[in-house]
Amino acid sequence: MRTLLAQRLRTKGGINWAPVGGGFALPHFSTRVTLGRDAGMIALLLLREALPLAEPLPPDGVAVTRLLFFIPPSPRAHLDTLARLSRAIKQGPLRGLVEQGAPDEKLFQALAPADTSGGAEPRDRNQP
């Protein structure tokens, strides 16, 4: 499995980049790579220097320095995982915790609602 994943990482066009703003991007395999039921993976990578992305550019123009690389447990979960992580960064506390250098346990707690409820904690619809 490790050889297959390394091969896919090195292949031209093997990774899709999904910049979500605030210096975050969600890189993921461009082909359907899964680890099996209940075996998804998320890795947080903190870069020393900004990652030069030609396309797509970050929506807010902030250079990418934080990556949440993921491999979903199934092909069906791919877009769902992408959406959940995007919401956790944009609407939840995850972004601030990463920026503050919070310990792993706090990061896990911030991701828990995205893992169990289908997304970040609900926002008050009366709030902007």
Side-chain angles (χ1 to χ4, degrees):
M1 180 58 87
R2 185 180 297 179
T3 303
L4 171 70
L5 294 176
Q7 211 173 33
R8 297 282 172 103
L9 282 171
R10 292 184 185 113
T11 301
K12 182 176 179 155
I15 299 291
N16 284 333
W17 299 92
V20 294
F24 283 85
L26 301 170
H28 52 280
F29 288 109
S30 56
T31 57
R32 292 185 180 193
V33 174
T34 61
L35 298 177
R37 186 176 180 161
D38 299 324
M41 182 210 73
I42 298 174
L44 174 63
L45 300 128
L46 304 172
L47 307 176
R48 291 180 193 193
E49 296 180 19
L51 181 68
L53 289 180
E55 293 284 327
L57 297 174
D60 59 2
V62 176
V64 173
T65 56
R66 298 168 186 92
L67 305 174
L68 271 177
F69 184 84
F70 71 92
I71 302 174
S74 71
R76 291 188 92 147
H78 184 93
L79 291 177
D80 186 53
T81 302
L82 184 63
R84 288 178 188 217
L85 290 174
S86 294
R87 281 192 302 268
I89 292 166
K90 297 292 281 180
Q91 299 173 359
L94 184 62
R95 178 178 168 182
L97 291 170
V98 170
E99 290 171 347
Q100 296 165 14
D104 291 347
E105 188 56 39
K106 292 276 188 189
L107 298 176
F108 294 143
Q109 288 173 359
L111 282 170
D115 192 32
T116 58
S117 70
E121 291 188 28
R123 288 175 38 175
D124 182 347
R125 293 189 186 268
N126 295 324
Q127 295 293 326

